[in-house]
Amino acid sequence: MSKVRRAVIREWMLLTREKRSSSEQAAAFAKAALQRHDLPRSRRTPHAIIMRWLSPRTGRP
């Protein structure tokens, strides 16, 4: 899972600052990332897992 986490965060941080400034943009990105990456089964939804990864980085320079 750490490889997937790193890949998703890297993709997020490569976006321009304007494209990663809000939680709505993060939610749309997470939905798209789920199409590209497979997450292992968990009690949390895959969308919630990705949002947790992205939330500290939303709006960051």
Side-chain angles (χ1 to χ4, degrees), residues 6-18:
R6 275 185 267 159
V8 169
I9 292 171
R10 187 176 305 117
E11 290 172 14
W12 177 247
M13 294 306 288
L14 284 173
L15 294 175
T16 62
R17 186 183 290 175
E18 294 80 28

Side-chain angles (χ1 to χ4, degrees), residues 2-47:
S2 65
K3 285 184 180 182
V4 174
R5 180 179 185 272
R6 275 185 267 159
V8 169
I9 292 171
R10 187 176 305 117
E11 290 172 14
W12 177 247
M13 294 306 288
L14 284 173
L15 294 175
T16 62
R17 186 183 290 175
E18 294 80 28
K19 291 186 179 182
R20 56 182 167 90
S21 61
S22 71
S23 58
E24 291 82 17
Q25 290 168 323
F29 178 85
K31 189 174 182 181
L34 287 173
Q35 303 298 317
R36 296 188 300 271
H37 301 283
D38 289 326
L39 293 176
R41 290 180 56 99
S42 174
R43 282 192 265 170
R44 290 194 194 119
T45 65
H47 188 268

